[in-house]
Amino acid sequence: MTHLSFSDRFAKKFVADSILDQQLVASGKAKETLLSKSGKGNEYLGWVHLPSSIASSELTRIRDAAEAIQSHSQYLVVVGIGGSYLGARAVIEAISSPFQNLEPSKKGVRILYAGHHLDSDYHAKLLAFLETKDFSVNVISKSGTTTEPAIAFRLLLSLLERKYGKEGVKNRVFSTTDASKGALKKLSDEYGFPTFVIPDDVGGRYSVFTPVGLLPISAAGLSVNKLIDGAKAMESLLCAESSPEKNLACLYASYRNAFYSAGKKTEVTVSYTPVLGYFIEWWKQLFGESEGKEQKGIFPAGVVFTTDLHSMGQYLQEGERNLFETVIHIETPRNDLYLTEKPEDNDGLNYLSGKKLSEVSEKAILGTLIAHSDGNVPCLEIKLPELTEETLGELMYFHQFSCGVSGYMLGVNPFDQPGVEDYKNNMFALLGKKGYESRQKEILERLKS
Ligand code: PA5
């Protein structure tokens, strides 16, 4: 059984039925291309049936490693960039208390992040903080050669060796990488670190249901079983539903492509809870890196309301009409509060007494949907009854599947990322890495002129 639902009540009037029908037909074909593995990038479709095929022995190994981390560490530093950390962070921040890291006395491992940028100040402060803490590291890199996590890991490993000795680091470093190749695999084998494998046929941004996501999520004390259960239920729903108008991923992909063809080239994903901020980052990476190629693709943006109604609200209501919104609507919060009566009513809020905070939020959601669609911004809604590991598993799988379908509808390969290499190659050339001499020469010539 799945919990996710999709609503087009504030979007339907913007698309003619005939256009939506055409897109639905195209989405059905794209879905078949995906499932028959006959499209571009078909060597990276291991994620499609991953939730239903993950071995219980793999889950046990992940939980055992998580327990080992919990038994001796106050902190786990997750070292990775892009698809190698965003999925785990999205789930951990969505489900854990936002104040957990501020309560050092409470039990449980706190998750910190490194290797997702090159800021020396951040890394220096992280190392200084960890100097007096018990910590472990989960270093994650599919290629095993990405510069940002490799640099962070070198710094953290040197601190670990100084604190715990060469033997001691063996049960404090957990590496997640390719089965056989890459510098990280080689180094892990040399040290004897426990190693988890990212399957060859699963790309970074589709890897949250592999050890890339599951080990940090489990170490944070969250249920990977429930996450996988949610993803599995969504996998069977989306793979089995052959009618595009009933298949929620096809419906979402059809609306996206209909809006894109009509010049609405930016999709703004909206959350009404700040704990979904990193979910939005994960979603942006998934769609941005999958669709943005061959000079095409919807630009994925994100906002958290009501905060951003006080910064981006004006633009969304009255700015350039080249965008549409997709609202992630969590219908029931995990905790709620009642607003009570105040005899003097000196804040003027007595008209709300007896109401729950969630009722106020619901009215903000509805009021904004009405206002933005009146302002000619189509608004799609993705609804979850509540935010749990299970519903988040559904939501993430839903987006992966929708992204594959939508990318094929656009005519691109949703599973490669050739454009990401360009900045890396220039950086390597500028840093004087071996093998990049001619590029370095060419760049330096260009900078002179
Ligand atoms: O989605 C992707 O493939 C990328 O975002 C990668 O996850 C990211 O570049 C990190 O790569 P790697 O895991 O090889 O270090």
Side-chain angles (χ1 to χ4, degrees), residues 81-84 140-144 146 149 204-205 285 289 417:
I81 194 166
S84 283
I140 308 168
S141 175
K142 182 168 182 190
S143 62
T146 307
R205 57 194 176 274
Q285 192 226 353
E289 223 170 76
Q417 54 286 327

Short mmCIF file of all heavy atoms in Angstrom, two decimals, residues 81-84 140-144 146 149 204-205 285 289 417, ligand 1:
data_model
loop_
_atom_site.label_atom_id
_atom_site.label_comp_id
_atom_site.label_asym_id
_atom_site.label_seq_id
_atom_site.Cartn_x
_atom_site.Cartn_y
_atom_site.Cartn_z
N ILE A 81 29.97 13.95 -1.89
CA ILE A 81 29.45 15.15 -2.57
C ILE A 81 28.35 14.72 -3.56
O ILE A 81 28.36 13.57 -4.04
CB ILE A 81 30.60 15.91 -3.29
CG1 ILE A 81 30.18 17.32 -3.72
CG2 ILE A 81 31.15 15.14 -4.48
CD1 ILE A 81 31.36 18.22 -4.10
N GLY A 82 27.42 15.62 -3.85
CA GLY A 82 26.35 15.33 -4.83
C GLY A 82 25.54 14.12 -4.40
O GLY A 82 25.13 13.99 -3.24
N GLY A 83 25.38 13.19 -5.33
CA GLY A 83 24.59 12.00 -5.06
C GLY A 83 25.19 11.12 -3.99
O GLY A 83 24.53 10.23 -3.46
N SER A 84 26.44 11.37 -3.63
CA SER A 84 27.08 10.55 -2.60
C SER A 84 26.85 11.08 -1.18
O SER A 84 27.46 10.56 -0.25
CB SER A 84 28.58 10.42 -2.89
OG SER A 84 28.75 9.48 -3.93
N ILE A 140 32.33 8.23 1.12
CA ILE A 140 31.47 7.70 0.04
C ILE A 140 31.87 8.33 -1.30
O ILE A 140 31.79 9.55 -1.46
CB ILE A 140 29.98 8.02 0.32
CG1 ILE A 140 29.59 7.58 1.74
CG2 ILE A 140 29.09 7.39 -0.72
CD1 ILE A 140 28.24 8.12 2.21
N SER A 141 32.29 7.49 -2.23
CA SER A 141 32.58 8.01 -3.57
C SER A 141 32.52 6.85 -4.54
O SER A 141 33.28 5.90 -4.42
CB SER A 141 33.95 8.68 -3.62
OG SER A 141 34.25 9.08 -4.93
N LYS A 142 31.59 6.94 -5.50
CA LYS A 142 31.46 5.84 -6.45
C LYS A 142 32.72 5.72 -7.30
O LYS A 142 33.28 4.64 -7.45
CB LYS A 142 30.23 6.03 -7.34
CG LYS A 142 30.07 4.89 -8.29
CD LYS A 142 28.76 4.86 -9.00
CE LYS A 142 28.77 3.59 -9.86
NZ LYS A 142 27.71 3.47 -10.78
N SER A 143 33.15 6.85 -7.85
CA SER A 143 34.35 6.82 -8.70
C SER A 143 35.59 6.58 -7.84
O SER A 143 36.59 6.05 -8.30
CB SER A 143 34.49 8.15 -9.44
OG SER A 143 34.64 9.20 -8.48
N GLY A 144 35.52 7.01 -6.59
CA GLY A 144 36.68 6.88 -5.70
C GLY A 144 37.76 7.89 -6.00
O GLY A 144 38.86 7.83 -5.43
N THR A 146 36.85 11.49 -6.69
CA THR A 146 36.35 12.87 -6.65
C THR A 146 37.18 13.71 -5.68
O THR A 146 37.41 13.31 -4.54
CB THR A 146 34.85 12.88 -6.28
OG1 THR A 146 34.17 11.99 -7.17
CG2 THR A 146 34.24 14.26 -6.39
N PRO A 149 35.68 15.07 -1.75
CA PRO A 149 35.70 14.10 -0.65
C PRO A 149 37.09 13.51 -0.41
O PRO A 149 37.44 13.20 0.74
CB PRO A 149 34.71 13.01 -1.09
CG PRO A 149 34.45 13.24 -2.53
CD PRO A 149 34.73 14.67 -2.82
N GLY A 204 25.13 7.98 -9.01
CA GLY A 204 25.17 8.67 -7.72
C GLY A 204 23.81 9.19 -7.26
O GLY A 204 23.36 8.92 -6.14
N ARG A 205 23.12 9.96 -8.11
CA ARG A 205 21.89 10.61 -7.64
C ARG A 205 20.71 9.66 -7.54
O ARG A 205 19.64 10.05 -7.08
CB ARG A 205 21.57 11.81 -8.54
CG ARG A 205 21.42 11.49 -10.00
CD ARG A 205 21.46 12.76 -10.85
NE ARG A 205 21.40 12.45 -12.27
CZ ARG A 205 22.47 12.16 -13.01
NH1 ARG A 205 23.66 12.13 -12.48
NH2 ARG A 205 22.33 11.91 -14.30
N GLN A 285 19.24 18.23 -7.32
CA GLN A 285 20.34 17.53 -7.97
C GLN A 285 19.82 16.45 -8.90
O GLN A 285 20.28 16.29 -10.03
CB GLN A 285 21.28 16.90 -6.93
CG GLN A 285 22.57 16.42 -7.57
CD GLN A 285 23.01 15.04 -7.15
OE1 GLN A 285 22.41 14.43 -6.27
NE2 GLN A 285 24.04 14.53 -7.78
N GLU A 289 20.71 17.44 -12.69
CA GLU A 289 21.80 16.69 -13.33
C GLU A 289 21.26 15.68 -14.34
O GLU A 289 21.97 15.27 -15.25
CB GLU A 289 22.62 15.97 -12.25
CG GLU A 289 24.12 16.09 -12.49
CD GLU A 289 24.96 15.60 -11.31
OE1 GLU A 289 25.09 14.40 -11.11
OE2 GLU A 289 25.49 16.47 -10.62
N GLN A 417 26.13 12.57 -16.79
CA GLN A 417 26.33 13.96 -16.36
C GLN A 417 27.62 14.48 -16.99
O GLN A 417 28.55 14.88 -16.29
CB GLN A 417 26.35 14.11 -14.83
CG GLN A 417 27.31 13.24 -14.03
CD GLN A 417 26.87 11.81 -13.92
OE1 GLN A 417 25.68 11.52 -13.88
NE2 GLN A 417 27.81 10.88 -13.90
O1 PA5 B 1 24.83 11.94 -9.41
C1 PA5 B 1 26.02 11.85 -9.64
O2 PA5 B 1 26.48 10.94 -10.35
C2 PA5 B 1 27.01 12.84 -9.04
O3 PA5 B 1 26.36 13.84 -8.35
C3 PA5 B 1 27.94 12.13 -8.09
O4 PA5 B 1 27.20 11.51 -7.07
C4 PA5 B 1 28.97 13.08 -7.50
O5 PA5 B 1 29.66 13.76 -8.52
C5 PA5 B 1 29.96 12.32 -6.62
O6 PA5 B 1 30.64 11.37 -7.36
P1 PA5 B 1 31.44 10.21 -6.67
O7 PA5 B 1 30.50 9.37 -5.88
O8 PA5 B 1 32.07 9.44 -7.80
O9 PA5 B 1 32.47 10.85 -5.77
#
